[in-house]
Amino acid sequence: HHQPLPLRACFAVLGRFVSPIMATAEFNPPKRVCIDQAGSEVEQLKKRIAELEAGTKKNPNEFDPYLQNRVNAQTMTQYIIESSKGDKQLAMLMNSIQHACKVVSNSIEKAGPAGLYGLAGSANSTGDDVKKLDIIADDIWIECLSRSGVCGLLVSEEQEKAIVIEDAAKRGPFCVAFDPLDGSSNIDCNVSVGSIFSVYRRKSPDDKPCTEADILRPGTDIIVAGYCIYGAATELIITFGNGVQRFACDPALGEFLFVSDMKMDPEGGKKIYSCNEGNSLQWDAPILKSVENFKDAGYAARYVGSMVSDVHRTLLYGGIFLYPADKKSTKGKLRVLYEGFPMALITEQAGGESSTGMYMGKLGRILEVMPEHIHDRCPIIMGGARDVSQVLKLYEK
């Protein structure tokens, strides 16, 4: 009963259904063809890039060693973990020591603007005038070590008495002797200074606080020793009794990176003698004769006045460092636990020799001295075997 649609209207209705079909038929195949062509071109481009990379080598430049060292060099933390051989407490101790060194280094860098040069107006346990930075460095070392949770006793050059960690929950098996800022008399004129330390493992029962007897032992009992030098660069040198390793602090990374193993030249290295000749009127005959012999042989004199600096140079360049006993200081001036012992152990581990010279009536090895007090002193003669042996031969005549 419906009226038939006009022809034009029929075509209009039919177009609504046909147009989408026609669109699909006309345009979809070209789209698929474009995608296929693009994929083929990408594959060809990748293949060409691979061919170019395979046939092209990067031209080396002067920055390659620098970048490779910063990225690939072993960090102090990695070295500690490997060298402590699973001893978590020793790893914790060494990480606390390297942290103390970084904080002291930063304090020295900022000393001028912060007004930290000059005397603090007091004297330390051995009678030396105390600088402001001595006190700051001492506080840093004590805080870092006492908070590590692995130390039972601390001996500092700046403290008259040993610091005993009484709290059983905060103490550990290690006894550490340290000079927080060696050579601080030079600090105001921006000369290299350093920190020195030695580590013992306690022998007394763990259920009681440590006593001084735990650290008043020969240097042969030391398990770790080292020093940090604050100069043009901050370097940390350590020994676990298996050679000597040298690390330098990368200030941008805040990490000590491995530089090299330190080994003295077996031939003796450069001809250098290092001593304070201002004390020569007080020396005994063998020391006087030794220094004269060095001069006659064309040795150069090099003396900074910071033990860390003078020993560091001796280890790297060769020669001999002397701070002997004399009429004024019959036991010498340098302290046994935190100067003589650690430096002697490092020198011997690096292939050198160390001796007290004539001390307590006999010639002896520094590491075999038996300290009676935490601030005991001993004479120091250390360096290459070539030069140390010359001094000892004069004592034997």
Side-chain angles (χ1 to χ4, degrees):
H1 302 281
H2 294 289
Q3 293 294 326
L5 288 172
L7 186 61
R8 182 176 296 178
C10 290
F11 280 116
V13 172
L14 184 61
R16 292 179 184 178
F17 298 97
V18 172
S19 294
I21 296 170
M22 291 298 294
T24 301
E26 291 175 4
F27 296 104
N28 275 354
K31 285 184 181 179
R32 286 195 295 271
V33 170
C34 290
I35 292 172
D36 291 342
Q37 288 176 347
S40 177
E41 289 176 359
V42 168
E43 291 300 320
Q44 289 176 4
L45 185 59
K46 286 182 178 179
K47 184 177 179 181
R48 180 58 180 159
I49 290 172
E51 289 174 355
L52 290 172
E53 288 179 344
T56 304
K57 292 184 179 179
K58 180 186 174 184
N59 293 325
N61 60 62
E62 65 272 25
F63 301 112
D64 286 347
Y66 169 75
L67 293 172
Q68 289 171 7
N69 187 61
R70 295 188 78 188
V71 174
N72 300 326
Q74 184 181 40
T75 66
M76 168 71 83
T77 304
Q78 291 170 329
Y79 179 80
I80 288 169
I81 293 171
E82 291 177 6
S83 300
S84 56
K85 298 177 182 178
D87 189 335
K88 295 180 181 179
Q89 290 181 314
L90 183 57
M92 181 67 74
L93 172 67
M94 293 306 299
N95 274 314
S96 296
I97 287 174
Q98 72 160 324
H99 180 63
C101 293
K102 292 175 187 176
V103 179
V104 171
S105 177
N106 180 258
S107 299
I108 292 170
E109 288 176 5
K110 297 179 178 179
L116 297 177
Y117 288 146
L119 296 170
S122 59
N124 64 14
S125 61
T126 53
D128 298 328
D129 291 330
V130 174
K131 298 289 185 77
K132 294 175 185 177
L133 278 169
D134 279 317
I135 295 174
I136 292 170
D138 188 47
D139 287 344
I140 291 168
W141 273 78
I142 290 172
E143 283 297 307
C144 287
L145 293 177
S146 60
R147 289 174 180 270
S148 69
V150 295
C151 293
L153 183 140
L154 307 176
V155 170
S156 168
E157 182 194 21
E158 305 301 329
Q159 302 292 325
E160 183 69 36
K161 297 181 180 179
I163 300 170
V164 178
I165 311 298
E166 300 285 351
D167 190 341
K170 296 181 179 180
R171 68 170 180 251
F174 302 113
C175 302
V176 185
F178 57 92
D179 183 348
L181 199 60
D182 174 73
S184 58
S185 61
N186 288 318
I187 193 67
D188 294 350
C189 59
N190 202 20
V191 170
S192 296
V193 292
S195 302
I196 316 173
F197 66 91
S198 59
V199 180
Y200 291 82
R201 193 180 293 274
R202 68 179 297 179
K203 285 193 170 182
S204 59
D206 293 339
D207 58 346
K208 295 180 180 179
C210 291
T211 65
E212 288 188 0
D214 285 311
I215 203 167
L216 290 176
R217 292 149 57 190
T220 50
D221 287 353
I222 292 173
I223 60 171
V224 187
Y227 65 85
C228 188
I229 182 168
Y230 313 111
T234 297
E235 295 191 7
L236 185 54
I237 283 72
I238 59 172
T239 178
F240 283 85
N242 184 27
V244 180
Q245 287 71 44
R246 180 185 183 189
F247 296 83
C249 187
D250 186 327
L253 305 178
E255 275 283 4
F256 283 104
L257 301 181
F258 178 76
V259 176
S260 65
D261 291 315
M262 289 180 73
K263 194 74 176 175
M264 294 194 72
D265 186 340
E267 302 297 322
K270 293 184 178 180
K271 293 183 175 182
I272 299 173
Y273 73 94
S274 179
C275 60
N276 184 355
E277 291 192 74
N279 296 329
S280 60
L281 294 177
Q282 310 294 328
W283 290 343
D284 59 22
I287 295 294
L288 277 170
K289 181 63 176 172
S290 297
V291 172
E292 288 301 318
N293 289 346
F294 291 140
K295 291 178 181 178
D296 293 340
Y299 278 56
R302 297 285 185 272
Y303 185 68
V304 177
S306 298
M307 186 188 189
V308 165
S309 300
D310 286 313
V311 172
H312 190 63
R313 182 198 58 249
T314 301
L315 292 172
L316 291 172
Y317 292 171
I320 185 170
F321 171 77
L322 307 98
Y323 211 115
D326 55 37
K327 297 172 186 175
K328 186 172 61 176
S329 303
T330 56
K331 279 191 168 185
K333 188 178 179 183
L334 300 177
R335 273 67 56 147
V336 177
L337 286 177
Y338 42 81
E339 289 175 326
F341 278 171
M343 289 305 203
L345 181 59
I346 290 169
T347 299
E348 291 190 8
Q349 285 294 318
E353 292 185 4
S354 63
S355 173
T356 59
M358 188 58 66
Y359 178 63
M360 308 293 283
K362 64 178 182 178
L363 293 175
R365 185 179 169 216
I366 293 173
L367 291 173
E368 294 175 353
V369 170
M370 182 65 193
E372 297 176 354
H373 185 270
I374 59 173
H375 297 298
D376 262 0
R377 305 168 186 258
C378 75
I380 300 290
I381 302 170
M382 60 176 59
R386 177 195 65 193
D387 302 321
V388 173
S389 62
Q390 290 185 44
V391 179
L392 299 184
K393 284 177 182 176
L394 292 173
Y395 276 110
E396 294 168 354
K397 289 183 179 180

